[in-house]
Amino acid sequence: MSRPLVVVGDALLDRDLEGTVERLCPDAPVPVVDSPVDRPRPGGAGLAALLAAQDGRDVVLVTALAQDAPGHELARLLADAGVRVVDLGLDGATPEKVRVRAQGRSLLRLDHGGPAGTPGGLADDAVLRDAGAVLVADYGRGVAALPSVRAALSSLGRTPVVWDPHPRGPEPVPGTTLATPNGSEAQHFAPGHGGAPLTAVTARARELVQRWAATAVSVTLSGKGALVVSGDAPPLVVPAPQVPCPDPCGAGDRFASAAAGLLADGALPSEAVAGAVQAASAFVAAGGAAQVRVGRPMPAPLTAGASAEDVVARVRASGGTVVATGGCFDLLHAGHVAVLQQARALGDCLVVCLNSDDSVRRLKGPSRPLQSAEARAQVLLALGCVDAVAVFDDDTPVPLLERLRPDVFAKGGDYAIADLPEAPVLAGWGGQCVVLPYLPGTSTTRLIERARLDH
C-alpha cells in the first residue's frame, strides 16, 4: 500500500457566486449579476489537498478548522472529497473568500474571517512520519509557523518535502526538497537582485537555495513556466505550453500538489517541476479553480491541436468571442502572421479555416499546394495566436462557418465587405465580417516566383 501524500497548511473556504450580467444598475454604474449560483469548495491548503485527491492519491490534510458554520462546511467538503483531515483546532473564524463572477470572469472578491486565528499544536507527528511526501501549502495564517509542525517537518529525513511559501508565513525548514515561490514571493524573500528578468530570478533562486538549505528552488513564472536552481548547476527553465488562461486562480496549488505527488513517486526535483508545469497549464486551460467541484474531476483541458468544435464550445460556454479566418496558408509569411495576430486580438480564440489540398488545387492550379494540409495545419498551430485549425474541402469556408458559427470572420487584404461571400452568412446569426490591413509586398505567389528566378 502506498504511503499518503500529506498536505500541511491553512485551509480556507472559497465560494464562487456565478451569474450573468446583461445590464447596469439604474442607480449606479455597476453590473447587475442575475441569478448567481453558489459554488463552494475547499481553498488554500484545502484546494491543494483536493486536487491531489482528484489525482487518485491517498491524501491527509493537517490543518486548523474553526467551530463555526464555514468551518463545518469546509470539513464536510473535504470529507466528501475523500481527504482525511487532522484538525489542529482554530481559535478564531474560518477565513472565507467569495468571488462574484459573470461570463467566466471575476467582478469582485469579498473576504470574511478577519485576522488570522490561533491554530492548536501538533500533538502527534506520526501522520508526517508515515507520509510518502509532504506538501506545505502555506497561506500565512499560522499552521506552517507552529513550532510543533516545524519540528516534525525538520525530522523527516529522506521524505520529500515541497514548500509553497507565503510572504506572511515563515521560511521553509532547512532540508526542504523543493521550494516553489512565485516571482513576487521570490522577490519578497530575496530582494535586491537586478539585471535582466531571468538573471534576477536565477540570482534570487540561488540565494534561497543557500539560505533555506533546500535541495532545489523552483520559481514559477506565471504563464511562462518555471525556473529551477539546484546547487551550482546552471538553471533549468521549463517553458509552459501556450494555453488560454481566463482564470489563473489555484494554479500555484495545482503546481505544488502535482510536484509533491511526483516526488512521492520517486521523481527528481527537475522531473517534478516539469510535470508540475504541465499539470498547472492543463489546470488553467480547463478553467482554473472556477471549474473545481467536489466529487467531479476537472474537465479535460483544451490541448494543442484540439478540434475547432471543442475550442468554440469552450470559449462560447465562458461567454467569450469566437473569431475565425480562412485561407490556403501554403507558404507562411509575414503577411499571414500579421493578419492572424490581428484576428486573434479581436476575440478569445482564433480558428483558422484551412483549404484542403484539393481545394487549393482548384483555386491555385495543379502545382499547388507546396505543402500538404497536414503540414500547413502543423505550422499554423505552432503560432501562439492560433487556437485551432479546421480543414475544409469546398471552394469557400461557408459550409464550415455554418457549423462553427463564429462571432467574427476576419480576412486580410484589399476587400470590400460586399466582396466577401462569408458576410451574409455571418449576418444570419448576428456575426460580423471584418477586413484587416495586409502587409504590402507579401504574397505566397511572389515568394514562389522569386525562388524560381533564384534557381
Side-chain angles (χ1 to χ4, degrees):
M1 181 176 179
S2 62
R3 299 161 71 190
L5 173 64
V6 177
V7 180
V8 178
D10 313 289
L12 321 173
L13 179 62
D14 284 348
R15 292 186 183 279
D16 281 352
L17 299 180
E18 188 83 43
T20 59
V21 171
E22 297 178 349
R23 58 198 172 96
L24 294 178
C25 180
D27 55 359
V30 295
V32 176
V33 181
D34 285 316
S35 306
V37 177
D38 184 7
R39 296 195 173 109
R41 65 176 176 274
L47 177 59
L50 170 61
L51 295 174
Q54 289 186 341
D55 289 338
R57 298 187 180 276
D58 182 16
V59 180
V60 179
L61 173 62
V62 179
T63 191
L65 300 179
Q67 295 302 310
D68 54 15
H72 295 317
E73 183 171 16
L74 179 54
R76 178 187 61 78
L77 289 168
L78 290 165
D80 290 347
V83 176
R84 290 182 288 148
V85 175
V86 175
D87 183 8
L88 306 179
L90 180 64
D91 182 10
T94 299
E96 185 177 2
K97 297 180 179 180
V98 182
R99 298 191 303 171
V100 181
R101 292 168 54 82
Q103 280 80 30
R105 303 185 185 279
S106 295
L107 305 178
L108 178 69
R109 197 180 94 179
L110 309 172
D111 285 5
H112 303 283
T118 304
L122 180 66
D124 185 357
D125 65 358
V127 65
L128 294 177
R129 286 187 280 106
D130 293 339
V134 175
L135 165 61
V136 180
D138 185 16
Y139 272 75
R141 300 185 71 89
V143 170
L146 289 170
S148 57
V149 169
R150 294 183 68 80
L153 290 170
S154 298
S155 66
L156 289 181
R158 300 180 66 179
T159 302
V161 175
V162 174
W163 197 294
D164 190 9
H166 191 281
R168 293 196 301 271
E171 296 190 346
V173 297
T176 291
T177 310
L178 178 67
T180 62
N182 62 30
S184 61
E185 290 163 349
Q187 186 172 15
H188 168 82
F189 287 110
H193 295 283
L198 281 182
T199 302
V201 170
T202 301
R204 290 175 189 132
R206 289 202 188 284
E207 177 183 333
L208 295 177
V209 164
Q210 295 296 321
R211 196 166 85 211
W212 294 343
T215 303
V217 169
S218 169
V219 181
T220 52
L221 305 172
S222 187
K224 297 179 181 179
L227 180 145
V228 190
V229 165
S230 181
D232 296 327
L236 170 69
V237 176
V238 182
Q242 290 188 331
V243 296
C245 185
D247 182 10
C249 179
D253 294 303
R254 172 70 287 199
F255 180 93
S257 63
L262 290 167
L263 288 174
D265 294 339
L268 297 172
S270 57
E271 295 170 331
V273 170
V277 167
Q278 293 298 318
S281 298
F283 177 79
V284 297
Q291 295 300 318
V292 173
R293 303 283 188 278
V294 172
R296 190 197 77 180
M298 286 287 291
L302 294 176
T303 57
S307 73
E309 288 79 5
D310 286 344
V311 170
V312 169
R314 180 65 60 83
V315 171
R316 189 155 285 143
S318 65
T321 298
V322 177
V323 182
T325 189
C328 302
F329 299 97
D330 193 9
L331 193 59
L332 198 67
H333 53 68
H336 290 141
V337 173
V339 168
L340 292 169
Q341 289 174 329
Q342 293 174 69
R344 180 61 175 81
L346 298 175
D348 300 289
C349 74
L350 175 62
V351 177
V352 176
C353 302
L354 184 67
N355 294 75
S356 71
D357 294 347
D358 287 342
S359 177
V360 175
R361 277 189 282 271
R362 291 195 301 270
L363 294 173
K364 303 290 186 179
S367 64
R368 301 278 295 276
L370 299 177
Q371 303 182 86
S372 68
E374 181 179 358
R376 289 180 280 132
Q378 186 174 355
V379 172
L380 287 166
L381 287 169
L383 300 176
C385 55
V386 175
D387 297 283
V389 174
V391 178
F392 66 92
D393 200 40
D394 303 280
D395 290 339
T396 74
V398 166
L400 176 58
L401 293 174
E402 289 175 335
R403 294 203 312 272
L404 299 178
R405 299 171 71 88
D407 302 295
V408 178
F409 183 77
K411 195 73 176 176
D414 188 17
Y415 293 96
I417 293 296
D419 297 330
L420 296 176
E422 299 85 359
V425 176
L426 263 79
W429 57 78
Q432 175 68 56
C433 271
V434 299
V435 176
L436 298 173
Y438 202 75
L439 287 180
T442 57
S443 160
T444 299
T445 301
R446 289 184 184 178
L447 289 174
I448 293 172
E449 291 174 349
R450 183 178 300 171
R452 286 172 176 165
L453 288 174
D454 290 344
H455 287 79

